Amino acid sequence: MPLQFNTELGNVFVTDNVISVIAGSAAMECFGLVGMASRKQLKDGIAELLGRENLSRGVEVRRENEQLHIDLYIIVSYGTKISEVAHNIQSKVKYVLNDVVGLQADQVHIFVQGVRVSR
């Protein structure tokens, strides 16, 4: 179900796919992130690294009781502090969604699917 904004010029509808692409793009700007991972289960213990064209596949947008929840499935760079990377991604995604779309994300959950050596 898309979000609807009413303006004096008409209605604006924003789909969950748009929100997931914006959230994924914001996350990719953060230091320590190698890329987005597939939401699917790990295959043979290895997380599937998604390319930039598939950012929305690593993001899940949920609405629960009028609240917006964002789940991001990520792969972090080896040697970085995972908690700091996750916190930076949470802050960046909340800020960008509020700034670009005008949405207040109530919760941003980070699921670390793997650690890779960045190149």
Side-chain angles (χ1 to χ4, degrees):
M1 169 181 267
L3 291 172
Q4 181 178 352
F5 298 101
N6 299 320
T7 66
E8 64 273 356
L9 299 176
N11 297 327
V12 178
F13 297 94
V14 180
T15 64
D16 289 348
N17 189 43
V18 171
I19 295 169
S20 64
V21 169
I22 292 170
S25 297
M28 288 301 293
E29 294 177 4
C30 294
F31 176 78
L33 182 68
V34 174
M36 304 301 289
S38 177
R39 294 186 305 237
K40 299 175 186 171
Q41 293 293 332
L42 302 175
K43 296 179 183 176
D44 299 325
I46 299 172
E48 178 187 359
L49 183 64
L50 301 174
R52 282 203 165 268
E53 65 279 354
N54 294 322
L55 289 177
S56 63
R57 283 183 46 208
V59 181
E60 185 176 344
V61 178
R62 296 180 288 119
R63 289 194 193 87
E64 297 175 3
N65 301 329
E66 301 290 325
Q67 292 186 337
L68 181 65
H69 299 270
I70 309 287
D71 296 339
L72 292 127
Y73 297 83
I74 65 169
I75 298 174
V76 296
S77 176
Y78 176 79
T80 58
K81 190 172 181 181
I82 293 174
S83 61
E84 284 298 315
V85 173
H87 181 265
N88 289 342
I89 292 170
Q90 288 172 322
S91 298
K92 179 76 172 185
V93 167
K94 280 187 169 188
Y95 173 78
V96 168
L97 283 176
N98 190 23
D99 190 46
V100 173
V101 186
L103 289 176
Q104 183 63 38
D106 298 296
Q107 295 180 357
V108 177
H109 301 279
I110 306 293
F111 297 92
V112 180
Q113 298 288 80
V115 177
R116 299 251 171 105
V117 176
S118 61
R119 296 179 187 152

